[in-house]
Amino acid sequence: MSKRTVRYVYSEYLIREADKNPAVKGRATLTHQLITSYGLINLMEILTPINCKVSELTNFHSSDYVEQFKRFERSHNTQPSKQIRNEALSSTQVEEEEEEEVCEESIEEEYGLGYDCPAWSCILSYACIIAGATITACEALIKCKPTEPEIIINWCGGWHHAHRDKAGGHCYINDIVLGILVLRQHFSRILYIDLDVHHGDGVQEAFETTKHVFTFSLHKYECGYYPGTGNVSDCGLAGGRGYTANFPYKDGIDGFSFYKYFKRIVTRIGECYNPDACVIQCGADAIVSDPLGGTNITPHALICCVFMILKWNLPTLILGGGGYNFPNTSRFWTQLTAAILNKKLCNDIPATNDNFLKYGPGYSLNINSDKFKKNWNTEEYLDRCAKTIEDNLIKYEVCAI
Ligand code: MN
């Protein structure tokens, strides 16, 4: 690959805030430390993220939804703790209060801010820096010279399940949609690729009626598996019909087949659509041994997928996403960062790493496939999925609009 500028979105504050997401507590630090301990940080230009304004969040999210974030911030700052309050109230007043509490819970439920997305008091600050980091990256991409398309990496972004007015699947704010809306000011054909093991539902929903953003998600699709959308037949709506593609696979897919079908489809999409910028969500839950995943894919296969796109030489944003085996997530994103920088890494985790013990018992960078995992995908099934997507590209005359 020719020499390209690689920028890494980073600030201490971003890492500190990203660490607060209850589903991935401490993961941002773990990843950043591994990248740093391998010396990769010195090979990239640091892009300092800027907090986005609360009003910018409503470029995608509803103001009612954003208002909920403010409410958590307010309630924390102005109300004494429930216990102290209850001690000061008579028993009837406590009952009334409890009723009010239930009411509040139903509001939380309405906006998805409970269950897998519990809110916390400083959630608004979290939202503004998580969205701000991806927006900062996209603003940098639209400013780069067409002759020097940059690669920007933001491992704290990639929250593809957040909807316009609902949190879901550990995602509170859809930084991807907000970032792509910035890219749209300058680019007219953006290809969004979602490698996370879950369907990229929030991003697809945001752009399924437009031809200006093509979304392609590959994900595990089985009865009862989150979020339950992303059938192979879903290919966009109204004016955007044909400009959405979904590749659903079953449990146990290996890296070899994943890469084979990824290459086949993405090559076709590239030929028809001829994108002028790309956004790749690299959710590490698509890697073998993820507790919420279920694939048998190694980092090598996903790195090959990313390189397929990078060789197009387009402005490209690389994002994180899911990844619930934290040491493996950190291993994968470090390996991918190194590959982009064309740097070979020693397989031994540097002993200087503050979280060295988290990489035991092997203390190595590699992640091996699981020899005993059953692959429920047949070639016939995967081929049928690929054929359906290819037929849709023809049927809806997908082209470089
Ligand atoms: Mn995921």
Side-chain angles (χ1 to χ4, degrees):
M1 200 165 60
S2 60
K3 185 107 180 73
R4 291 171 67 174
T5 300
V6 180
R7 288 183 204 269
Y8 177 71
V9 181
Y10 168 74
S11 72
E12 267 181 43
Y13 177 69
L14 170 65
I15 300 292
R16 204 162 56 234
E17 285 298 312
D19 272 345
K20 288 182 183 168
N21 182 326
V24 294
K25 262 202 175 4
R27 195 187 68 174
T29 293
L30 196 68
T31 302
H32 176 69
Q33 280 181 350
L34 194 59
I35 287 172
T36 308
S37 65
Y38 271 111
L40 298 174
I41 203 91
N42 309 318
L43 306 174
M44 301 182 275
E45 286 183 28
I46 302 290
L47 183 61
T48 308
I50 299 167
N51 269 305
C52 77
K53 297 194 194 83
V54 175
S55 61
E56 282 177 89
L57 299 176
T58 57
N59 287 340
F60 172 57
H61 295 282
S62 70
S63 41
D64 282 357
Y65 180 62
V66 175
E67 199 55 43
Q68 296 311 307
F69 290 180
K70 288 189 196 160
R71 204 172 57 90
F72 283 107
E73 200 126 307
R74 271 201 305 269
S75 67
H76 181 76
N77 292 337
T78 58
Q79 291 182 7
S81 81
K82 196 158 80 175
Q83 200 190 344
I84 296 170
R85 262 189 305 152
N86 286 356
E87 279 167 9
L89 297 169
S90 72
S91 61
T92 30
Q93 279 173 308
V94 171
E95 268 166 38
E96 279 165 18
E97 284 274 310
E98 304 264 291
E99 245 169 58
E100 199 177 303
E101 197 74 22
V102 173
C103 202
E104 287 197 8
E105 265 171 31
S106 74
I107 290 174
E108 283 160 30
E109 220 161 86
E110 191 183 337
Y111 294 97
L113 295 166
Y115 182 54
D116 62 352
C117 291
W120 64 97
S121 60
C122 302
I123 190 170
L124 185 63
S125 316
Y126 166 86
C128 289
I129 191 62
I130 294 299
T134 299
I135 290 172
T136 305
C138 291
E139 280 168 351
L141 275 184
I142 64 178
K143 278 181 206 138
C144 65
K145 288 189 207 139
T147 50
E148 291 169 30
E150 291 180 359
I151 300 167
I152 305 189
I153 299 171
N154 175 21
W155 295 131
C156 296
W159 302 102
H160 60 170
H161 296 307
H163 298 274
R164 184 175 177 273
D165 50 14
K166 197 163 189 166
H170 316 308
C171 304
Y172 297 85
I173 206 79
N174 204 314
D175 62 299
I176 310 172
V177 172
L178 292 167
I180 290 175
L181 290 173
V182 171
L183 292 178
R184 275 286 298 121
Q185 296 166 12
H186 187 80
F187 300 109
S188 60
R189 291 183 309 280
I190 298 152
L191 174 59
Y192 170 71
I193 295 166
D194 194 310
L195 301 175
D196 193 285
V197 71
H198 301 100
H199 177 228
D201 55 349
V203 185
Q204 175 177 309
E205 259 172 44
F207 300 114
E208 64 192 341
T209 60
T210 177
K211 291 183 168 70
H212 291 289
V213 181
F214 191 116
T215 64
F216 176 36
S217 177
L218 306 97
H219 44 266
K220 188 165 113 172
Y221 187 76
E222 283 178 352
C223 190
Y225 193 68
Y226 189 87
T229 49
N231 198 320
V232 69
S233 57
D234 294 349
C235 61
L237 297 170
R241 197 137 178 91
Y243 292 76
T244 292
N246 284 295
F247 200 115
Y249 52 79
K250 298 182 195 301
D251 199 79
I253 192 167
D254 59 53
F256 180 81
S257 330
F258 187 92
Y259 176 66
K260 178 180 157 185
Y261 287 96
F262 175 85
K263 186 177 170 189
R264 173 169 158 186
I265 298 303
V266 105
T267 304
R268 284 294 298 128
I269 293 172
E271 285 164 1
C272 310
Y273 190 57
N274 191 26
D276 46 21
C278 292
V279 176
I280 314 174
Q281 196 268 21
C282 302
D285 46 10
I287 298 286
V288 60
S289 301
D290 188 277
L292 303 183
T295 78
N296 203 1
I297 301 173
T298 56
H300 175 73
L302 292 192
I303 291 169
C304 290
C305 293
V306 172
F307 270 68
M308 270 285 312
I309 308 304
L310 293 182
K311 75 170 195 232
W312 292 348
N313 214 25
L314 297 170
T316 303
L317 175 61
I318 309 271
L319 297 171
Y324 307 97
N325 177 329
F326 298 174
N328 274 1
T329 300
S330 152
R331 285 179 173 104
F332 167 45
W333 290 345
T334 300
Q335 286 185 42
L336 180 50
T337 307
I340 291 169
L341 295 166
N342 197 19
K343 177 102 177 132
K344 280 251 177 305
L345 298 183
C346 169
N347 193 32
D348 301 326
I349 301 286
T352 52
N353 190 296
D354 285 345
N355 280 301
F356 182 75
L357 293 175
K358 297 230 165 82
Y359 298 95
Y363 306 100
S364 60
L365 184 64
N366 277 352
I367 300 170
N368 298 318
S369 61
D370 179 350
K371 288 188 201 77
F372 304 105
K373 186 145 178 80
K374 183 174 163 61
N375 184 353
W376 292 87
N377 299 274
T378 60
E379 280 292 307
E380 191 201 2
Y381 167 76
L382 295 171
D383 193 71
R384 205 165 59 235
C385 288
K387 189 79 175 53
T388 306
I389 297 171
E390 286 163 349
D391 288 348
N392 282 337
L393 293 172
I394 296 166
K395 185 173 166 192
Y396 298 108
E397 297 173 352
V398 170
C399 59
I401 42 118

